[in-house]
Amino acid sequence: KARLIRDGHIELADQVKAKKVSARKAAILVGYITPEVKTPLTELKRLWKKATEVDRQSFKLFIEEK
């Protein structure tokens, strides 16, 4: 909220404070961050980081079979 106020987005900061708009949505609207585009590849990458070593090895075998 402080950055929104500092950069002159007072109305948007007020909406965040009133919980009418999320801080993330406000940051996207003013261009502080870009929304992540969810594609099958980005989901696979995200899940790969959470997978166990056994799951990773099983998946590698699955890919090699295809």
Side-chain angles (χ1 to χ4, degrees):
K1 290 184 282 186
R3 185 173 177 190
L4 290 169
I5 293 168
R6 183 193 72 205
D7 293 347
H9 304 288
I10 308 299
E11 188 174 312
L12 194 52
D14 290 341
Q15 290 177 3
V16 171
K17 186 176 180 182
K19 298 187 183 210
K20 293 181 180 178
V21 175
S22 71
R24 177 173 171 72
K25 179 69 174 179
I28 291 169
L29 288 172
V30 297
Y32 295 157
I33 60 174
T34 56
E36 181 181 323
V37 177
K38 289 190 178 183
T39 65
L41 178 59
T42 59
E43 288 297 300
L44 285 169
K45 288 178 180 179
R46 183 184 64 80
L47 292 170
W48 184 264
K49 293 175 187 175
K50 295 180 179 184
T52 65
E53 190 57 36
V54 172
D55 288 337
R56 290 177 182 182
Q57 292 301 323
S58 296
F59 188 73
K60 286 177 184 179
L61 290 172
F62 169 75
I63 295 299
E64 289 172 3
E65 292 174 1
K66 296 295 172 182

